[in-house]
Amino acid sequence: MRQFDLMGKSSAAHSVKASINAKRLSHAIMITGEKGIGKKTFANYICSLLVCEAGNKPCYECVPCNKIIKGIHPDVYKIYPAGKSETIGVNEIKPIKENLYIKPNDANCKIFILYEADRMNRFAQNAMLKMIEEPPEDSYFIFTCKNSQALLPTVRSRMVNIALSPASKDEVYALLENRMPQTPKEALKRAAELCCGNIGLALEIIEDEKVNRLYEDVENVAKAVCDSDRALLTLRLGKYSADKESAVRLVELLKLVFRDTCALNAGNAELLSGCAAAEQLSKTCGGKACLDLMVACDRFLAAIKGNANLALSLADFEISLGKAVGR
């Protein structure tokens, strides 16, 4: 028997299950959260609740539940971004229009899941709006998205939002240990500490050497800032002068480290980044310096978003980090 991993989502799971038992579940649901937080898993959990034949749903053992787990249930339609632009347009939502008013095959309902719904263009959103305003009694729509603000206000207002929360470090470690019993415990512990409660990211840290090196560089850049080690700072940042995606991710993670430094200065011991250098930084950087470090991150990210030269932006970022700590 395989169950969906709902660590950190027990409150949301209980709420959805109670709504289904009371026959009050909204026909349009939006699941929000960052990449890797478990949006797809939670969407499958809702599907199992809706199609399960057991008294205590979901049982994960009946035929419908197993079809959900295997991704082959005929009454669940999955829509993904497509094309070079990786968007959801009117062509992608055609299967919804074609099947919305057709009776279900196996279950008592039909479920339409739109993954990365924040990548729907305006035309697709307007077409979806007409369908979610007055859906058939036996139809449910589930949107997963990272940025709900990318959806039209008229679409958002007709959906119930379920915001997924990160799991605790202990929960992530327990899940990793269960999934990867052969992996060294130190590697599991490090991934659980660095992933900020994001199970998908924890798996990436363990399985993807590139991601693993990225997190090592986050630690090293933070230490270089703390120790005024300009050579190490130049070396670590220079590695990303031709890799825009990784450079952005590096700075996003550094911003979390600097946020932790601010939190530690304010007496909050909970670290979001899991970076040990944050504690060292908090002993050498005051509140203003911490804020300036975060501003430096924001400036870099804004520049890259505006298509600024990556190598020059990294050089400017390096200078800004030094100025922030007065070195």
Side-chain angles (χ1 to χ4, degrees):
M1 178 179 71
R2 174 187 166 187
Q3 297 187 11
F4 296 120
D5 298 315
L6 297 173
M7 291 182 174
K9 307 166 187 65
S10 57
S11 177
H14 176 77
S15 177
V16 171
K17 188 173 182 178
S19 295
I20 289 177
N21 289 339
K23 298 182 179 180
R24 290 188 288 103
L25 183 69
S26 171
H27 283 266
I29 298 168
M30 178 167 57
I31 304 172
T32 59
E34 63 184 27
K35 179 183 177 182
I37 201 72
K39 298 186 293 296
K40 287 185 179 179
T41 297
F42 201 78
N44 280 330
Y45 171 74
I46 296 175
C47 290
S48 290
L49 284 172
L50 288 168
V51 305
C52 180
E53 295 177 340
N56 186 21
K57 309 173 187 292
C59 69
Y60 300 110
E61 294 179 339
C62 66
V63 172
C65 275
N66 273 289
K67 286 184 177 180
I68 294 296
I69 291 169
K70 294 175 182 177
I72 58 172
H73 199 291
D75 294 315
V76 177
Y77 301 83
K78 299 180 179 182
I79 312 299
Y80 297 89
K84 291 183 179 179
S85 59
E86 294 187 351
T87 57
I88 298 176
V90 289
N91 285 332
E92 281 66 53
I93 64 172
K94 274 184 180 178
I96 301 179
K97 288 184 176 181
E98 293 169 354
N99 291 280
L100 187 59
Y101 293 98
I102 298 175
K103 290 294 181 183
N105 294 285
D106 292 355
N108 294 320
C109 64
K110 285 185 295 186
I111 307 165
F112 302 92
I113 307 176
L114 283 81
Y115 295 112
E116 298 184 65
D118 42 350
R119 301 191 69 85
M120 268 196 297
N121 63 34
R122 181 175 293 270
F123 302 106
Q125 289 191 50
N126 282 323
M128 282 302 308
L129 180 60
K130 296 177 182 178
M131 289 185 272
I132 64 176
E133 279 182 326
E134 297 181 6
E137 286 290 326
D138 59 359
S139 297
Y140 292 90
F141 298 93
I142 301 175
F143 289 7
T144 72
C145 64
K146 181 179 178 181
N147 177 23
S148 61
Q149 294 303 308
L151 297 175
L152 296 172
T154 47
V155 174
R156 295 200 309 268
S157 66
R158 285 162 175 79
M159 308 194 78
V160 170
N161 182 29
I162 299 175
L164 298 185
S165 303
S168 69
K169 292 177 186 177
D170 290 342
E171 287 176 325
V172 175
Y173 180 81
L175 184 142
L176 294 176
E177 191 175 36
N178 182 56
R179 284 195 188 182
M180 303 175 164
Q182 304 304 318
T183 304
K185 294 188 183 299
E186 280 303 311
L188 300 180
K189 181 181 178 183
R190 182 170 182 271
E193 289 177 344
L194 293 175
C195 73
C196 307
N198 186 316
I199 292 170
L201 183 53
L203 293 169
E204 272 193 86
I205 293 170
I206 293 174
E207 297 172 344
D208 191 326
E209 187 59 33
K210 182 179 179 181
V211 175
N212 203 6
R213 287 196 300 269
L214 177 67
Y215 274 81
E216 288 178 359
D217 283 336
V218 169
E219 290 267 5
N220 284 310
V221 169
K223 288 178 182 176
V225 171
C226 185
D227 298 337
S228 300
D229 190 338
R230 199 63 179 267
L232 178 60
L233 191 59
T234 302
L235 177 66
R236 294 297 175 177
L237 291 178
K239 288 171 56 178
Y240 296 90
S241 60
D243 188 349
K244 180 178 178 180
E245 182 181 349
S246 294
V248 168
R249 183 62 178 148
L250 177 82
V251 176
E252 287 176 340
L253 290 168
L254 279 170
K255 187 178 177 181
L256 265 183
V257 175
F258 301 146
R259 175 266 168 210
D260 280 354
T261 305
C262 289
L264 287 167
N265 278 335
N268 186 347
E270 182 65 26
L271 299 183
L272 293 180
S273 66
C275 179
E279 186 172 356
Q280 188 180 355
L281 266 172
S282 70
K283 296 175 181 178
T284 58
C285 296
K288 183 181 184 303
C290 295
L291 291 174
D292 287 344
L293 288 169
M294 294 178 69
V295 168
C297 293
D298 286 335
R299 281 183 55 197
F300 172 84
L301 295 171
I304 296 304
K305 188 176 181 180
N307 293 319
N309 180 275
L310 177 58
L312 292 177
S313 297
L314 281 169
D316 181 67
F317 180 57
E318 179 187 333
I319 294 170
S320 298
L321 293 180
K323 287 183 178 178
V325 293
R327 296 154 189 162

